[in-house]
Amino acid sequence: MPKLSVRNLTKRFPVSDGPSMLALDGVDLDVEEGEFIAFVGPSGCGKTTLLRIIQGLETATSGDILIDGKPARGPGHDRGFVFQQYGLLPWLTAAQNIGFALEAKGVPARQHGDITERVLATVGLKGFGDRFPHQLSGGMQQRVGIARALAIEPDMMLLDEPFGALDALSREILQNEMLGLTERMGKTVLFVTHSVDEAVCLADRVVVMSPRPGRIRDIVPIDIPRPRARLGEALRDTPEYSAKRQLLWNQLMELV
Amino acid sequence: MQRSAQPGTASKNAVDPLAEPDPRRQKRRERILQIGTLVLLLAAWEFAAHDANKLLVAMPSDIALATWDLLVSGELLWATLDSMSTFVLGFVIASVLGIVIGFAMGTNRTVEVILDPYINALYAMPLVALIPILMLWVGIGFLAKITIIILFAVFPVIINTVTGVKNVDKHYLDIGKAFMASRAMVYRKIIAPYAMPYVASGLRIALGRGIIAMIVAEFLTSISGLGGLIINYTNAFETAKAFAPVLVVAVLANALTLLVQKVEARFGRWRRR
């Protein structure tokens, strides 16, 4: 049984004075346990909407989300979400932001300290717990976002263009760490990105979506052997990498 | 120390026309200007009032003496305590009431639709017009003063709280939703901190209006406290003594505003400067 099944999912957004907009049209997808799926596509293809519906932040107009075969209605602690921007509460410190997720899950307060310290260390932010978001760089803020999602020990991680707002260097560093993290933990990951490069580096399969209406256009398997993290830059020199990058690039160019 | 390590030593003493002015000297210059102007104004007042009718105009030196007398006799202190105890109680009640009503209106559309027209109408109207009628209902004592202060102070708190609560960034609410925060947690950790700066500026407006209300109430109702002193000494044509409580009110209003700003800054530590 797949970890996650998306069944004939449709999402319509009402438009004032006009026909409603079809953001997602009959989307079907199965994701296996431990798989890393990246979603790419031009803006308006509904990739973020799809991720938000899976997380339960939005409701589908029709269709089903099945997790371990059971229909998922609304959010759950089995899914950890990482937001693109504004993902942290600016009036809480890094540790308190992580504590927020723990408290929401009902983890007893006396365990918060240990868990927070552990996940901050995992993302390389040991000792930064008492910093406010504005005292951290964009890359560090996003690490806190990832740490918070890890803290609730979800089966699945959902990331919505998590590195989209970062500079090129931070972005590449975080991509590599993300690779190491997911390969160590073996969690199921859904990753929305607008970067073909990022998708090929990280994913087992890349879902290409087309806009207006949002549909799955193709699913491209990436057969670069794992663990990829230790390859570092050499990852981008593999023939599979350049072949798949070229293939995806061509597909996206047709869609724009 | 090596000579080559200090290439700037010689030029340091020379005046650089492009250099930024020393901020501390600049600050001192501005202070001197302000104090100088004050001294000049007081001197002009003293000079102008010297030959005027003493029943109508008081000289600054008379006011200073009168203030000293009233301080020594304890009259000023008691009036201040009288006014302040009423004011603080009224202001605290208005703040709590305003925040609670504001939260209710900001999070519940039905409550907002029902209350909004009255809140806006009462905020915009000159509430002084209601005071005589209020006196019929609650008399002219302590209760009247408190009621008038609350009436003047509560509306800016309500209106600002509603604005803050309703403006909460959807991104922040999404965080609560994604991690399944309870309603209480969303209120406490997302909506309340977000609305805090709005509430604080409502409190600052309420403070000013509350002090006006206190003085007006003391003029019109019980003739007590600092307002009572002003009325009584003005009626007795002791103009210099009437100025003393005015001075106290001015100092108090400024001190309280400063206090609210300090509290605001304490809660706003997380914000960028």
Side-chain angles (χ1 to χ4, degrees), chain A residues 42-116:
Chain A
S43 53
C45 71
K47 53 191 193 294
T48 289
T49 305
L50 176 59
L51 200 72
R52 288 173 62 86
I53 292 173
I54 296 171
Q55 177 67 28
L57 289 172
E58 278 171 45
T59 49
T61 308
S62 67
D64 288 303
I65 303 288
L66 304 174
I67 294 174
D68 296 323
K70 291 185 280 289
R73 291 255 167 256
H77 297 301
D78 55 346
R79 282 152 283 162
F81 202 88
V82 179
F83 293 88
Q84 176 177 17
Q85 263 179 316
Y86 312 105
L88 301 177
L89 296 170
W91 44 83
L92 300 183
T93 62
Q96 288 168 338
N97 266 288
I98 296 166
F100 179 90
L102 293 171
E103 188 185 337
K105 194 192 173 188
V107 177
R110 68 193 136 76
Q111 294 173 22
H112 289 193
D114 288 346
I115 298 173
T116 301

Side-chain angles (χ1 to χ4, degrees), chain B residues 201-255:
Chain B
S201 66
L203 290 179
R204 246 183 302 139
I205 302 169
L207 196 72
R209 286 171 60 104
I211 288 187
I212 295 174
M214 174 192 84
I215 296 293
V216 169
E218 288 170 347
F219 281 179
L220 297 180
T221 61
S222 57
I223 319 282
S224 63
L226 292 165
L229 280 190
I230 297 171
I231 286 282
N232 285 334
Y233 282 120
T234 309
N235 287 345
F237 291 103
E238 293 194 64
T239 321
K241 282 189 174 172
F243 264 106
V246 172
L247 223 62
V248 175
V249 171
V251 170
L252 277 177
N254 282 289

Side-chain angles (χ1 to χ4, degrees), chain A:
Chain A
M1 181 177 24
K3 181 72 194 165
L4 166 78
S5 295
V6 178
R7 291 266 170 275
N8 197 20
L9 201 77
T10 301
K11 174 70 176 176
R12 270 178 194 286
F13 282 114
V15 177
S16 54
D17 61 277
S20 60
M21 202 255 297
L22 195 56
L24 290 172
D25 183 20
V27 171
D28 280 294
L29 179 69
D30 279 340
V31 177
E32 295 304 321
E33 172 112 49
E35 220 183 354
F36 194 125
I37 304 288
F39 297 86
V40 296
S43 53
C45 71
K47 53 191 193 294
T48 289
T49 305
L50 176 59
L51 200 72
R52 288 173 62 86
I53 292 173
I54 296 171
Q55 177 67 28
L57 289 172
E58 278 171 45
T59 49
T61 308
S62 67
D64 288 303
I65 303 288
L66 304 174
I67 294 174
D68 296 323
K70 291 185 280 289
R73 291 255 167 256
H77 297 301
D78 55 346
R79 282 152 283 162
F81 202 88
V82 179
F83 293 88
Q84 176 177 17
Q85 263 179 316
Y86 312 105
L88 301 177
L89 296 170
W91 44 83
L92 300 183
T93 62
Q96 288 168 338
N97 266 288
I98 296 166
F100 179 90
L102 293 171
E103 188 185 337
K105 194 192 173 188
V107 177
R110 68 193 136 76
Q111 294 173 22
H112 289 193
D114 288 346
I115 298 173
T116 301
E117 223 162 278
R118 197 187 68 227
V119 290
L120 278 175
T122 306
V123 298
L125 282 183
K126 205 179 164 111
F128 284 88
D130 56 357
R131 301 286 183 93
F132 284 98
H134 77 92
Q135 296 170 317
L136 299 170
S137 69
M140 290 162 105
Q141 289 184 33
Q142 207 48 287
R143 285 164 199 256
V144 178
I146 293 168
R148 177 178 57 191
L150 289 173
I152 61 168
E153 296 182 348
D155 296 343
M156 237 188 289
M157 294 273 282
L158 285 71
L159 302 93
D160 180 17
E161 294 194 31
F163 310 143
L166 302 183
D167 63 274
L169 187 63
S170 311
R171 185 177 187 130
E172 211 160 296
I173 293 170
L174 272 170
Q175 277 172 18
N176 245 315
E177 288 183 9
M178 188 76 213
L179 206 50
L181 205 69
T182 49
E183 287 181 340
R184 272 202 317 280
M185 297 189 164
K187 286 193 197 299
T188 311
V189 181
L190 307 181
F191 192 100
V192 168
T193 177
H194 57 247
S195 157
V196 169
D197 195 62
E198 197 163 87
V200 178
C201 280
L202 297 174
D204 296 310
R205 287 189 293 158
V206 178
V207 175
V208 183
M209 295 183 70
S210 61
R212 284 173 294 275
R215 286 189 180 129
I216 292 182
R217 153 87 183 235
D218 196 6
I219 298 179
V220 179
I222 310 291
D223 297 320
I224 306 172
R226 291 190 185 273
R228 300 174 188 169
R230 56 156 189 234
L231 288 175
E233 262 312 294
L235 174 61
R236 289 171 173 81
D237 297 331
T238 59
E240 172 72 0
Y241 173 86
S242 9
K244 288 296 160 65
R245 191 180 179 284
Q246 195 60 48
L247 176 78
L248 285 165
W249 186 254
N250 291 341
Q251 285 198 359
L252 285 177
M253 286 315 266
E254 280 171 41
L255 293 173
V256 180

Side-chain angles (χ1 to χ4, degrees), chain B residues 52-270:
Chain B
N53 185 345
K54 276 233 184 300
L55 291 180
L56 302 179
V57 191
M59 293 189 299
S61 56
D62 290 338
I63 296 170
L65 279 174
T67 308
W68 178 250
D69 283 349
L70 288 177
L71 271 176
V72 171
S73 73
E75 205 176 340
L76 204 51
L77 191 70
W78 281 116
T80 305
L81 282 179
D82 184 3
S83 289
M84 273 301 107
S85 53
T86 324
F87 171 78
V88 169
L89 186 62
F91 181 71
V92 168
I93 293 174
S95 306
V96 173
L97 213 61
I99 291 169
V100 169
I101 295 174
F103 245 81
M105 286 174 69
T107 50
N108 187 320
R109 181 75 187 145
T110 313
V111 178
E112 193 196 4
V113 167
I114 292 171
L115 291 183
D116 193 55
Y118 304 101
I119 305 278
N120 277 313
L122 282 169
Y123 183 47
M125 79 169 275
L127 290 167
V128 189
L130 279 176
I131 291 180
I133 301 168
L134 266 177
M135 282 158 68
L136 278 182
W137 295 339
V138 293
I140 58 165
F142 178 73
L143 190 61
K145 269 167 88 171
I146 290 278
T147 310
I148 293 167
I149 292 169
I150 293 172
L151 199 62
F152 270 62
V154 76
F155 297 111
V157 183
I158 295 177
I159 288 172
N160 275 45
T161 306
V162 173
T163 310
V165 168
K166 285 184 72 177
N167 269 346
V168 176
D169 206 314
K170 195 181 164 299
H171 293 106
Y172 298 144
L173 294 176
D174 269 354
I175 299 173
K177 201 170 173 188
F179 289 95
M180 295 178 78
S182 66
R183 228 177 140 74
M185 260 188 90
V186 172
Y187 278 157
R188 210 175 69 233
K189 300 222 157 152
I190 300 177
I191 299 178
Y194 187 90
M196 182 63 204
Y198 292 84
V199 175
S201 66
L203 290 179
R204 246 183 302 139
I205 302 169
L207 196 72
R209 286 171 60 104
I211 288 187
I212 295 174
M214 174 192 84
I215 296 293
V216 169
E218 288 170 347
F219 281 179
L220 297 180
T221 61
S222 57
I223 319 282
S224 63
L226 292 165
L229 280 190
I230 297 171
I231 286 282
N232 285 334
Y233 282 120
T234 309
N235 287 345
F237 291 103
E238 293 194 64
T239 321
K241 282 189 174 172
F243 264 106
V246 172
L247 223 62
V248 175
V249 171
V251 170
L252 277 177
N254 282 289
L256 287 171
T257 306
L258 212 67
L259 187 74
V260 171
Q261 277 167 354
K262 281 267 184 293
V263 173
E264 199 180 342
R266 173 69 189 72
F267 282 104
R269 241 176 354 128
W270 52 270

